Structures are given as structure tokens and as C-alpha cells.
Amino acid sequence: MTPLVIESTDLTPKICFRPDKKEFEISGESRPENVRKFYEPVMDWIDNYKDHLHANKAKGSEKLVFKFKFEYFNSTSAKFLTSIINKLDTIKQEVMPVEIEWYYDAPDEDMKNSGEEFSKMVSIPFRFFSVN
Amino acid sequence: MGPEDNYIYDIHLKMRDNNVLLAYTGELDMKIIDALITSVKLKLKEVKYFPRVQKRVYGIMVECLEAIHSGYDITKKQNRKINPFSIFTLSCDKDYYYLISGRYIFNDNIEFQRAQIDKINALNIDGKKQLYREYVSDVTVKEYNTDLAMVDIAIKSNNTLTYEFRKVDDTTSFYIFQVKIKVN
């Protein structure tokens, strides 16, 4: 499976999905001018990865850990993050265990709250990490 | 320079007395929004206290500016022309940060805008979070959603959203929207 790596800009986060290294991370700020254009390839990649896992009969004993390390995301990005997390939830239900690690700057309670809101919408376990 | 130029000094005094960190007036496009956001980001970094509030102010400011832009964008898509003049200020005192925006609005859109804000203001924090979850997972709305932006602002500010519509003429009004964010 080809990795997906998109470098960050002032408006968009870094995407680093490297299945060979078991690295799945989104980090930075997200307020793209065209949110759909930015996130659609990310969502397509996750769909393809789910098919790849199915085809390769991924073992249920393994676990995928997706790391979310946002400094900020706007409300429009939140809609697409919801879609991404829902897709991960489908992988968890159909293929193999998935866990989300949600990182936030120590004083940024709003970012932690946002993660908690996402966690209420899916069955994926979230682990929260405060970063100083 | 004559007495007619005193208004500049008056504006300066008003901005100084109200601790205005940023003031913008004119048309708002995405480039200008980015410039304003970058400017505020730098200004807030200079303030060494209350980093939690700074991030909150930043996030709410982004949503407010995008809401103004979206308002005009929707008008354009409806092939209706309205005065594109907008105003945005960020100020503070010892208790609150104040984000105030203003833009023109068609009178026939006022009730929608009023109902949207009143619905959010009527909810407690749990109700607002429930509404946020509904809006954010609504797959029928694909792109920018003012309902979602407004409830996001309400949750983060944890304050009543205030607004006013000042009638300009039979077709348009000036829509003023204010958010208060507690400093500590």
C-alpha cells in the first residue's frame, strides 16, 4: 500500500500515513480554503487502505493507532474529520482494532473537548495526551 | 491638515481607550482574512498570560471571519448584490475579549439569522454540544455550515451570542454580531 504524505502549510495539516511503519498521523492547523479538495484524497486513501486490509486478511489481533495532533481546526474541517473518524470506525467494526490517540497542548482544553465530542460519536477508543 | 481631519485622532483615541488589538473595515476576501488571522496570531503570542484563552480567541475569530465571508458568498451564489463593506474588531478589557463583526444583510434573511442565534442561545452547554454533534455529522451538508460555525462559537465562548440589525433601507440592514470571551 502506497503511503500518503502531505506536508503542512499555514492553512493545512501534515498528513503522514505510512502503513509499512505503522504510522498514521495528522498534525498542525486545519482551515483550508477548499476543505473538500484537501480532505477528499485523505478519505479516499483510508477507503483504499480498508480494502487493502480486507484483501490481505489483516489479523484482528493487530491494532491500528491513528494520532491526531491538531493545533487548531475550523468547524468546516471538523465535518471532514468526523467523516475520517467514521471511516476508521468502519475499519474497527469490519477489519481490525483501531485506536485514536488525541494530542492537545496542555492549556488548550477546547481541543481536548473537541476530541471528547468525536469520541462520543464512534465506538473507537480514544486516548488523550496533554503536551507541554 | 484641518479640523476636518480630527476624526483620525478621534478614532485613535477610541481604539486606544477600548484596547482595540485589531480593527478592519472594507471588503473581506480569503487573502485579507488570512492576513488578519496571521496578525492576530502574532499579537496574541505577545500576551504571555492565559494561553488557553488566546487559543479560544483565535479559534472564534477564524469562525467569525469565515462567517462574514460565507454570508457574502451565499449572496453572490444567489445572484444578489449587496454592499460588501464589513467591519471586524478585536478588543479587550480586564474581564473579556470582545469580537465584534458587522456586515450588510438583506432584510428577508434577518429572520433566518435571528432564529439561528436564538435557537443556540436558548440551549444550555449540554444542549449546545448535542447540537454540535448533530451538525458536524450531518452528511447532507457537505461544505461550510453557518449553523455549525455559530454553535462552535457559542460553545467555545461559553457566553450568550449578541446581535443587532440596524435598518439601512427597505431591502438591507447592517448586522452586528458580538462574542464575549472571559479572560480568566
Side-chain angles (χ1 to χ4, degrees):
Chain A
M1 180 78 191
T2 312
L4 177 69
V5 178
I6 303 170
E7 291 303 325
S8 64
T9 70
D10 287 345
L11 304 179
T12 57
K14 180 175 182 176
I15 308 288
C16 186
F17 292 166
R18 295 181 188 275
D20 54 330
K21 295 182 178 175
K22 295 190 178 358
E23 286 177 11
F24 305 94
E25 187 172 308
I26 305 179
S27 58
E29 180 153 340
S30 181
R31 48 182 184 89
E33 196 166 333
N34 187 332
V35 191
R36 171 166 299 281
K37 191 177 171 188
F38 180 78
Y39 278 108
E40 247 175 9
V42 180
M43 295 192 291
D44 289 345
W45 189 93
I46 294 172
D47 286 338
N48 290 335
Y49 186 52
K50 188 185 85 170
D51 294 342
H52 170 83
L53 291 170
H54 261 308
N56 290 280
K57 294 190 172 63
K59 291 174 191 166
S61 58
E62 292 175 10
K63 182 170 72 176
L64 297 178
V65 179
F66 277 76
K67 295 179 181 179
F68 290 77
K69 298 180 176 179
F70 279 104
E71 289 166 27
Y72 169 74
F73 57 83
N74 64 5
S75 61
T76 315
S77 297
K79 284 189 73 67
F80 287 84
L81 294 178
T82 304
S83 296
I84 287 171
I85 291 169
N86 282 332
K87 285 177 186 296
L88 299 179
D89 202 30
T90 308
I91 293 178
K92 175 185 173 278
Q93 288 170 29
E94 296 179 8
V95 189
M96 63 193 297
V98 178
E99 186 176 285
I100 288 178
E101 291 185 354
W102 189 270
Y103 293 78
Y104 61 96
D105 284 344
D108 191 359
E109 289 170 22
D110 292 339
M111 185 55 72
K112 186 186 180 195
N113 291 339
S114 296
E116 287 172 346
E117 290 304 309
F118 284 126
S119 73
K120 289 175 186 168
M121 292 188 261
V122 290
S123 64
I124 300 176
F126 276 57
R127 296 174 67 206
F128 293 91
F129 296 90
S130 160
V131 180
N132 287 310
Chain B
M1 300 288 278
E4 69 275 14
D5 301 306
N6 282 344
Y7 78 96
I8 289 292
Y9 186 59
D10 291 341
I11 290 172
H12 161 68
L13 291 181
K14 280 184 180 169
M15 288 176 69
R16 188 196 65 185
D17 294 345
N18 288 289
N19 291 318
V20 175
L21 299 170
L22 176 87
Y24 173 81
T25 178
E27 277 191 57
L28 266 183
D29 60 23
M30 288 312 287
K31 279 188 181 169
I32 292 171
I33 288 175
D34 283 342
L36 294 174
I37 287 170
T38 304
S39 167
V40 167
K41 209 175 190 177
L42 293 172
K43 275 183 187 289
L44 290 174
K45 272 185 184 169
E46 290 169 12
V47 184
K48 297 205 168 134
Y49 305 104
F50 311 122
R52 177 177 62 88
V53 178
Q54 288 167 33
K55 285 217 163 193
R56 187 167 287 166
V57 169
Y58 175 75
I60 293 171
M61 187 194 73
V62 172
E63 295 297 339
C64 286
L65 290 170
E66 289 181 346
I68 297 173
H69 184 259
S70 164
Y72 286 121
D73 216 29
I74 291 166
T75 307
K76 269 187 199 167
K77 282 176 186 162
Q78 292 171 340
N79 287 321
R80 301 174 83 186
K81 281 188 182 171
I82 196 165
N83 187 336
F85 175 94
S86 306
I87 188 159
F88 178 85
T89 65
L90 168 62
S91 58
C92 65
D93 60 24
K94 63 182 175 50
D95 298 317
Y96 290 97
Y97 279 96
Y98 301 89
L99 288 150
I100 306 173
S101 65
R103 68 174 174 90
Y104 287 91
I105 185 171
F106 285 113
N107 291 336
D108 53 17
N109 286 334
I110 286 178
E111 275 320 303
F112 170 81
Q113 195 71 66
R114 193 193 303 276
Q116 183 186 55
I117 299 174
D118 288 350
K119 178 182 175 181
I120 293 167
N121 280 339
L123 298 169
N124 62 19
I125 189 66
D126 288 336
K128 286 171 187 165
K129 286 183 176 179
Q130 176 61 34
L131 194 62
Y132 179 91
R133 287 196 290 274
E134 283 172 28
Y135 289 150
V136 84
S137 55
D138 181 358
V139 292
T140 61
V141 182
K142 302 288 185 190
E143 304 289 345
Y144 183 81
N145 180 346
T146 53
D147 291 323
L148 178 60
M150 285 294 171
V151 76
D152 188 52
I153 291 169
I155 290 169
K156 285 180 178 155
S157 67
N158 197 23
N159 250 307
T160 304
L161 307 176
T162 54
Y163 62 85
E164 186 182 340
F165 298 98
R166 291 197 184 172
K167 190 176 176 186
V168 175
D169 54 36
D170 288 343
T171 56
T172 56
S173 294
F174 198 69
Y175 165 36
I176 301 164
F177 177 69
Q178 179 181 285
V179 188
K180 277 166 64 174
I181 305 149
K182 213 165 186 338
V183 167
N184 195 1

